């Protein structure tokens, strides 16, 4: 009963931190809109909202590079100037893969609003200055990682909402493909969401993703181990693993649990019994 109550309290505390983080982010955005930087330096025709979230409260994501259009780069620089003047000593890390935009597009058959990702936005804005672009042209102009760029172009030219046309036609994006603005595009709705296309992960990518998720969950595993050992004082490896499987609410490998146990031994939360290395003692 005590364990369930403790778990509930921890989950509530985590949700409270996330809620507080979101509310603080809203206040920062409102403060920015009223700032002298926003009133005098922002480019016209663009509205932007920045979610400033605390590392450690949220899942981690690998940084992904992209060469932003001048207008978006300028907006980021102005916001960064404002934020660092308000919170000195902090560091902003832009998570480009999580950005999303609404673009106003003019097609010969009518105006539309396109709800798209930041990467889709960067690609589409290139066609303000060109009718046709090769895959290599787009890659050089955006600096988007190869697999991510192919996925982005697939979503824009090969999915259900084809605002670009791929030459030659086909499902896969090849190195010698070209893309052009789809002047014949039409749709019944004014605002249209262009969905991303999910790409299959390689074995290496899947392993990397799994390891990254486990990194985010390490504190939960460590807390569970310490909680069990604090209650039991002395416990065999097998029984400790069994109790951890009962308490943890996500799948995890025994080898990963063993790593966390070893880490806690190194940090002197636990020790191996001198007479039996398969038994752990809790160190108060």
């Amino acid at each position: 009963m005590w364990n369930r109550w403790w778990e509930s309290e921890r989950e509530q505390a985590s949700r409270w931190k996330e809620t507080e983080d979101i509310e603080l982010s809203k206040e920062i955005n409102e403060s920015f809109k009223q700032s002298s930087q926003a009133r005098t330096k922002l480019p016209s025709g663009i509205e932007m909202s920045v979610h400033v979230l605390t590392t450690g409260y949220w899942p981690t994501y690998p940084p992904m590079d992209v060469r932003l259009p001048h207008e978006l780069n300028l907006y980021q620089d102005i916001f960064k100037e404002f934020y660092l003047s308000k919170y000195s000593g902090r560091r902003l890390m832009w998570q480009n893969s999580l950005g999303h935009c609404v673009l106003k597009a003019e097609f010969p058959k009518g105006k539309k609003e396109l709800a798209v990702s930041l990467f889709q936005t960067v690609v589409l804005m290139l066609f303000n200055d060109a009718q046709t672009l090769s895959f290599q042209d787009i890659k050089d102009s955006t600096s988007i990682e190869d697999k991510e760029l192919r996925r982005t172009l697939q979503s824009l030219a090969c999915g259900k909402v084809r605002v670009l046309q791929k030459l030659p036609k086909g499902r896969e994006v090849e190195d010698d493909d070209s893309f052009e603005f789809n002047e014949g595009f039409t749709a019944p709705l004014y605002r249209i969401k262009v969905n991303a296309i999910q790409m299959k992960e390689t074995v290496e990518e899947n392993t990397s993703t799994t390891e990254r998720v486990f990194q985010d969950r390490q504190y939960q595993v460590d807390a569970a181990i310490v909680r069990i050992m604090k209650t039991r004082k002395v416990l065999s490896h097998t029984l400790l693993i069994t109790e951890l499987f009962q308490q943890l609410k996500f799948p995890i490998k025994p080898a990963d649990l063993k790593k966390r146990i070893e880490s806690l031994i190194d940090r002197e939360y636990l020790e191996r019994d001198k007479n039996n290395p398969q038994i752990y003692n809790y160190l108060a």
Side-chain angles (χ1 to χ4, degrees), residues 71-258:
E71 301 91 333
L72 297 184
N73 250 331
L74 181 60
Y75 205 119
Q76 279 194 354
D77 290 342
I78 293 169
F79 182 87
K80 183 178 180 180
E81 175 190 325
F82 159 79
Y83 183 80
L84 296 182
S85 68
K86 190 176 177 70
Y87 301 99
S88 61
R90 295 189 182 181
R91 184 167 67 96
L92 280 178
M93 179 182 293
W94 297 95
Q95 292 289 355
N96 296 315
S97 62
L98 302 181
H100 57 273
C101 309
V102 175
L103 290 181
K104 293 184 178 180
E106 292 189 21
F107 296 94
K109 295 185 178 181
K111 296 180 179 181
K112 301 292 180 184
E113 285 189 354
L114 305 177
V116 288
S117 71
L118 179 60
F119 291 145
Q120 290 170 327
T121 298
V122 172
V123 169
L124 288 175
M125 288 184 70
L126 295 177
F127 290 87
N128 283 334
D129 303 312
Q131 178 65 27
T132 303
L133 291 167
S134 70
F135 172 79
Q136 193 61 46
D137 290 336
I138 297 171
K139 187 174 182 179
D140 292 342
S141 298
T142 63
S143 296
I144 297 174
E145 185 270 332
D146 188 90
K147 288 184 180 179
E148 184 63 34
L149 179 57
R150 293 177 194 273
R151 186 170 76 100
T152 299
L153 287 168
Q154 274 188 317
S155 69
L156 296 170
C158 308
K160 291 183 178 180
V161 181
R162 301 187 179 188
V163 292
L164 298 180
Q165 288 183 321
K166 188 175 85 71
L167 305 172
K169 293 182 179 180
R171 183 66 179 171
E172 301 300 323
V173 174
E174 306 295 345
D175 290 348
D176 56 354
D177 285 348
S178 294
F179 298 83
E180 64 181 20
F181 178 70
N182 184 4
E183 293 188 341
F185 177 78
T186 183
L189 298 176
Y190 175 67
R191 175 173 286 198
I192 305 156
K193 179 174 175 56
V194 183
N195 292 317
I197 291 177
Q198 299 296 322
M199 292 188 72
K200 292 182 179 179
E201 288 187 318
T202 63
V203 174
E204 293 80 9
E205 288 171 335
N206 184 268
T207 301
S208 175
T209 301
T210 302
E211 288 177 353
R212 193 167 63 248
V213 170
F214 180 66
Q215 289 289 330
D216 293 338
R217 290 171 169 171
Q218 282 187 1
Y219 81 96
Q220 296 181 50
V221 177
D222 289 359
I225 295 170
V226 171
R227 183 170 67 249
I228 292 168
M229 291 303 301
K230 187 175 182 179
T231 303
R232 302 292 291 273
K233 304 301 182 186
V234 178
L235 204 60
S236 71
H237 176 81
T238 302
L239 288 177
L240 176 56
I241 296 297
T242 300
E243 291 207 25
L244 285 170
F245 278 131
Q246 291 173 350
Q247 291 198 20
L248 297 173
K249 297 181 178 180
F250 46 83
I252 189 168
K253 298 176 182 177
D256 291 329
L257 291 178
K258 186 176 180 181

